[in-house]
């Protein structure tokens, strides 16, 4: 029994076109951005920085209150708090 390539490349081309259309980047109107010091920065960058700051603040609060000694999986908890902060900023500031 020998394996041979399909004589019809059409299904592969159709699949490639469908996947390419589904993975398109931004909407036709462009990515959400804001003007900062004369340059346009993407909104996701601001939300990411705020999320990192939120995770850092949560870590400092856990250590300061002594909760870090009792809390398991601190990295996962602080990461979840940071992601939540970033998503909330995105929804409140740039959501529809």
């Amino acid at each position: 029994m020998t394996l041979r390539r399909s004589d019809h490349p059409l299904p592969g081309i159709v699949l490639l076109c469908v996947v390419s259309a589904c993975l398109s980047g931004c909407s036709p109107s462009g990515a959400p951005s804001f003007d900062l010091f004369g340059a346009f920065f993407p909104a996701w960058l601001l939300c990411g920085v705020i999320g990192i700051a939120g995770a850092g603040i949560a870590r400092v609060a856990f250590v300061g209150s002594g909760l870090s000694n009792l809390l398991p999986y601190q990295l996962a908890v602080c990461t979840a708090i940071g992601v939540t902060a970033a998503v909330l900023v995105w929804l409140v500031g740039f959501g529809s």
Side-chain angles (χ1 to χ4, degrees):
M1 180 172 153
T2 59
L3 297 175
R4 65 184 180 119
R5 286 184 64 177
S6 174
D7 294 333
H8 304 288
L10 187 62
I13 292 172
V14 170
L15 179 64
L16 180 64
C17 290
V18 169
V19 169
S20 296
C22 291
L23 295 177
S24 62
C26 300
S27 65
S29 63
S33 60
F34 55 94
D35 187 16
L36 186 64
F37 303 116
F40 287 100
F41 289 93
W44 63 264
L45 189 63
L46 173 69
C47 294
V49 169
I50 291 173
I52 291 170
I57 291 169
R59 173 70 179 147
V60 169
F62 289 153
V63 170
S65 67
L67 190 58
S68 64
N69 296 331
L70 303 173
L71 187 65
Y73 308 113
Q74 294 177 33
L75 179 63
V77 171
C78 290
T79 302
I81 291 171
V83 168
T84 302
V87 169
L88 284 176
V89 168
W90 179 266
L91 288 175
V92 170
F94 304 103
S96 53

